[in-house]
Amino acid sequence: LTAIIYLPTLSAGFVNWDDPDYIYNNYVIKDLSHFTDFFTVPIQGNYHPLTMISLALNYPVSGYDAWSYHLFNLVLHLVNCFLVYKLALLLSRNNSLIAFVTSLLFGIHPMHVESVAWVSERKDVLYTLFFLAGHITFTKYIDTGVKKEYWMTLLFLVLSLLSKPAAVIFPVS
C-alpha cells in the first residue's frame, strides 16, 4: 500500500529549493575522486556525509534525471516501514497486529511525504533507517544483554548521525 501511494514520486522532478545545491551545483556527488570532501565540505551548512555519499551513488545512474533519487528515497522509506514493524513487534511482545497497524500508519502518514518525495530530504529517510535499526538493536540488548547488540546500537547511532544531525536525540529517545 505504501509503495502504491508513493509510486507517483518516481515521475517527479527536482524541487527548486534545496535540490540545486544538493545535486546540480554539488561537485562532490559527481566524482568520487573527491571522497574526502564528503566528510569535510558541508552542504547548506549541514554536515551529513553519508547522505552525500548516497546521492553520489545515484548520480551515475541517472545524473540530472530525478527518477533514481526518488526510487532510492522510496526504497529507504519501505525499509523504514519494515523496521518500524520489527521495532513494534519487539515492543509489543510479538503482537503482529499491533506491529502491522503501526507500520502501516507510519508508511502512509502524510508527515513522510516530504521526506520521500523531495530528493534533498534523503537525509531524513536515511537517518531514520539507522535510527530505527539502532532502537531495534538496543531493545534486543536490553532484553538479552548480548554485548554485540550494544555495539551494533553504537554503530547505528554513528551512521544515523552521519546521515542527519537530528539523530543527536537518539540517546534520550
Side-chain angles (χ1 to χ4, degrees), residues 128-140:
T128 300
L129 183 142
F130 298 118
F131 198 88
L132 290 168
H135 277 75
I136 290 168
T137 56
F138 187 72
T139 302
K140 288 180 180 178

Side-chain angles (χ1 to χ4, degrees), residues 16-164:
N16 194 17
W17 186 257
D18 291 342
D19 289 349
D21 289 340
Y22 278 79
I23 308 300
Y24 292 113
N25 305 327
N26 188 356
Y27 72 93
V28 178
I29 71 162
K30 297 173 188 169
D31 183 1
L32 292 178
S33 67
H34 303 287
F35 190 78
T36 57
D37 289 351
F38 287 121
F39 297 92
T40 58
V41 176
I43 304 297
Q44 290 190 340
N46 294 309
Y47 182 77
H48 38 50
L50 204 52
T51 299
M52 292 296 100
I53 291 170
S54 75
L55 291 172
L57 295 174
N58 277 118
Y59 187 78
V61 175
S62 65
Y64 294 127
D65 188 354
W67 73 268
S68 78
Y69 300 90
H70 289 296
L71 177 62
F72 199 75
N73 282 6
L74 176 56
V75 168
L76 285 172
H77 184 58
L78 293 173
V79 171
N80 289 341
C81 292
F82 175 74
L83 292 175
V84 166
Y85 175 84
K86 294 296 283 183
L87 181 60
L89 199 61
L90 281 170
L91 295 175
S92 68
R93 302 288 182 204
N94 293 321
N95 187 324
S96 57
L97 179 62
I98 289 174
F100 176 76
V101 171
T102 303
S103 177
L104 178 66
L105 291 175
F106 176 87
I108 65 173
H109 197 282
M111 175 180 72
H112 299 291
V113 171
E114 181 180 285
S115 300
V116 178
W118 184 10
V119 172
S120 297
E121 277 301 300
R122 165 78 53 85
K123 55 189 168 282
D124 198 52
V125 288
L126 192 59
Y127 112 89
T128 300
L129 183 142
F130 298 118
F131 198 88
L132 290 168
H135 277 75
I136 290 168
T137 56
F138 187 72
T139 302
K140 288 180 180 178
Y141 169 70
I142 294 299
D143 289 346
T144 66
V146 174
K147 291 285 186 192
K148 176 187 166 198
E149 300 294 346
Y150 178 78
W151 293 111
M152 291 297 294
T153 301
L154 292 178
L155 173 64
F156 287 133
L157 169 61
V158 170
L159 292 173
S160 190
L161 284 166
L162 291 174
S163 301
K164 186 176 181 179

